[in-house]
Each structure stands twice: as structure tokens, then as C-alpha cells.
Amino acid sequence: MEGAFAVLILFVAMAVTSVHCQAGTRVGFYSRSCPRAESIVRSTVQAHFRSDPTIAPGLLRMHFHDCFVHGCDASILTNGPNTEKTAPPNRLLIGYDVIDDAKSQIEAACPGIVSCADILALAARDSVVVTRGISWQVPTGRRDGRISLASDTANLPGFTESVEAQKQKFLDKGLNTQDLVTLVGAHTIGTTACQIFRYRLYNFTTTTATGADPTIDDTFIPQLRALCPENGDGARRVALDTGSPNRFDTSFFSNLRNGRGVLESDQKLWSDASTKAVVQRFLGVRGLLGLTFNVEFGRSMVKMSNIGVKTGTDGEIRKICSAIN
């Protein structure tokens, strides 16, 4: 079994090789200038995860939200009025302290060398690993951006959007339908707030006997309503993957097949023919060419992490991640 796992890890590394050098980034960028950079990030993520497991999905989501606005340039990390961090889609993000901790340690070892954008990309990968997903090689060499505006976050996919709208936003970033389904699969870990999806449980009184979104499995409705009463605490957190919310696996896709997707945008992936086919391939449906989720996730993450990166003399290397130099 261990031998097979090692082979799979090797396959993941080989599978993403073709996109390692996109946009001027490359694997091992800091091998000479700051050889401990990746190990510092890894150990920092591990240490924080041991005390707070919620930072894993938090860092993964943060990297996604960073890349879809101005590219992967750490613009999400900057403090101040009207920065990306203050925008509604980002107000509940967590994990900033992990990035700051890693940056502080790296600056002590290699001042002015490693970007916050790269630290976030590495931390996102390490967040998958600590939740028992499989690692991949992260190309580095990004530089940090100097612009961060809350008004620019409209590029982020929304939780009520149609599949067509989601596909277009991903396509605009150079990502295809398979990348969309694969990256949304990150919802196999983490939680959402009742206020984000509660309308699905109570606002369909004119269309269904239960009063709930008809795409939700009938047996799942009482469970969700118990967690999120109609006039209850909107901030209460609910797992996005009810099968194994703390493990990076394919149970999220099984939930979509069974009408147990929590977010409307997630469940819609099962109702659209093009995205449903990808979900089925992850589930190993007979008659379709299968896909291995961990392998494809690494591949899609490398593609996403190269969106609009700043390299060479573009951008800067911040001294601290929360402030532009």
C-alpha cells in the first residue's frame, strides 16, 4: 500500500510538470537564494493546523480568492480601508496569521527574497497535505502586487451563480470546465456559514411541499434545518462535505450526486451536463474514463497559481505581507 502511495505521489509530480514553467515561475526558484523557504512554510502550516484545523480550508480558499483578483500576487493580504480583505466575499477568510508567521521566519533566514504570494501558494498546497491529500510541486518566483481594492472582487465566483457564469469566470482566467469542477472540489474540507445557504431551506414555499430547494435531498433537509433554524444564528458554521469534512477526498462529489451539496453553486455542478460528467469521472462511473481527484487537483492548482503572476521586475517583495512597501 505504501509503495502504491509513493507511486501516486510521483505521478502527481509528473502530471503537473507540463505547466511548471508557465508565466515565468518554476519549481525550486528559491533552491539557492532561500533553500529553507518551503520547509519553513510547511512546518508553520503544520504547527498552526495542530492547534486549529480550520486554517487548512481557510488558506486554500484565501489562495483561490487571491488568484482571481489581479492574479496570484498576495493582494488579498494587505490591510487598510477598501482593500480586498474588506470585501464581502473575503470578510470570513482566516489564516492570515499563518502567512505572517511564515513570512517572519523566512525574513529572519533570507531577508527580502521570498514573496508573500509564493508563501500563500505553498501554504495552500501544504493545507491539502495536512488534511491527507497528496502533495504536488509548486512553481515559485511570484512577486507581490501593489494594488488591493475591494471593488475588484467582482471577479470571484458567487455561491448563487449558474454553471455558465462560473464557467465563464474560470475561462476568463484560462481555466476550463474540468478545472472548475476540480477546484470546487476543495470544498471537501471546510465549512460555510448558515447565512450563506439558509435561503435554500426556507424560500421555496411556492415551488416545493417542503419549502426547500428541490435539488436538496429530502432526507438532508431536516439535518440542515436543525443546524440552521430559519431565525437562528447566521454565523453558525456547517461542513461543506458532510461525509468527511476534515479529509481531502472525493466524498464531496458523492454528496453532489446524492443531492447533499450545501452551496447552491456546488449542487448545480450535478445539474449541468458538462460539469456532471466531470463529477462522474471523479466518482468512477462505469462507461466513463476515470479521473483521480488528487492528481487532477494538483494539476489544476498549478494552473490557477500561475494566473496573472508578477515576475522579474514587476511588483515587489514585501517586507511584511499585510502592507505594501
Side-chain angles (χ1 to χ4, degrees):
M1 188 61 146
E2 291 182 358
F5 188 75
V7 170
L8 185 53
I9 291 177
L10 177 61
F11 182 69
V12 172
M14 294 173 63
V16 297
T17 297
S18 62
V19 287
H20 273 178
C21 296
Q22 285 186 0
T25 59
R26 60 181 173 83
V27 171
F29 184 85
Y30 300 112
S31 58
R32 292 186 179 180
S33 59
C34 191
R36 292 182 53 227
E38 294 201 23
S39 64
I40 289 173
V41 175
R42 184 184 311 114
S43 63
T44 303
V45 171
Q46 290 170 343
H48 282 262
F49 178 77
R50 282 193 291 271
S51 60
D52 180 12
T54 65
I55 64 99
L59 290 167
L60 198 52
R61 185 180 177 209
M62 187 187 296
H63 183 44
F64 177 88
H65 282 215
D66 182 44
C67 290
F68 265 68
V69 183
H70 294 301
C72 308
D73 67 349
S75 54
I76 190 128
L77 302 177
T78 56
N79 290 335
N82 303 314
T83 58
E84 289 175 35
K85 187 184 287 190
T86 68
N90 296 330
R91 287 176 187 164
L92 298 179
L93 289 178
I94 62 171
Y96 296 107
D97 56 329
V98 183
I99 303 302
D100 290 340
D101 187 0
K103 177 65 169 175
S104 176
Q105 294 179 58
I106 288 175
E107 283 297 299
C110 321
I113 299 295
V114 181
S115 69
C116 299
D118 277 341
I119 292 172
L120 180 53
L122 292 165
R125 185 269 311 277
D126 295 334
S127 296
V128 171
V129 176
V130 295
T131 51
R132 291 181 280 182
I134 293 177
S135 186
W136 65 90
Q137 290 184 298
V138 177
T140 45
R142 300 166 190 79
R143 288 169 66 84
D144 300 321
R146 297 189 176 100
I147 298 172
S148 181
L149 297 171
S151 57
D152 291 335
T153 59
N155 287 334
L156 291 168
F159 57 87
T160 63
E161 286 185 336
S162 68
V163 171
E164 285 305 313
Q166 294 180 65
K167 286 165 65 175
Q168 188 58 56
K169 286 187 174 181
F170 274 69
L171 186 62
D172 290 344
K173 302 299 181 182
L175 302 170
N176 59 32
T177 299
Q178 183 173 308
D179 294 318
L180 162 63
V181 177
T182 303
L183 293 170
V184 171
H187 289 169
T188 184
I189 57 174
T191 62
T192 188
C194 286
Q195 63 192 5
I196 300 298
F197 71 92
R198 185 163 51 192
Y199 69 93
R200 299 186 69 209
L201 306 178
Y202 304 100
N203 292 6
F204 290 78
T205 54
T206 61
T207 55
T208 65
T210 63
D213 184 334
T215 63
I216 304 176
D217 175 59
D218 285 347
T219 64
F220 194 37
I221 296 169
Q223 181 180 337
L224 290 177
R225 283 179 170 169
L227 293 169
C228 300
E230 189 166 9
N231 297 310
D233 181 7
R236 183 173 183 176
R237 307 299 296 184
V238 175
L240 288 165
D241 179 353
T242 56
S244 54
N246 300 312
R247 181 166 183 159
F248 204 86
D249 57 20
T250 59
S251 65
F252 169 76
F253 297 114
S254 298
N255 288 337
L256 299 187
R257 178 181 57 192
N258 298 328
R260 299 172 74 87
V262 175
L263 299 182
E264 179 182 350
S265 55
D266 287 354
Q267 190 57 52
K268 282 177 176 176
L269 298 180
W270 186 254
S271 60
D272 178 90
S274 63
T275 51
K276 179 178 180 179
V278 182
V279 174
Q280 290 176 314
R281 292 178 69 187
F282 283 135
L283 293 174
V285 172
R286 186 172 298 177
L288 294 175
L289 180 64
L291 291 171
T292 302
F293 176 50
N294 271 291
V295 172
E296 298 305 326
F297 192 80
R299 187 196 302 270
S300 291
M301 282 293 285
V302 170
K303 288 177 66 176
M304 186 192 77
S305 71
N306 273 314
I307 294 173
V309 298
K310 296 164 179 62
T311 58
T313 58
D314 195 10
E316 63 183 18
I317 303 297
R318 289 185 202 150
K319 294 180 175 65
I320 59 173
C321 292
S322 59
I324 295 166
N325 291 345

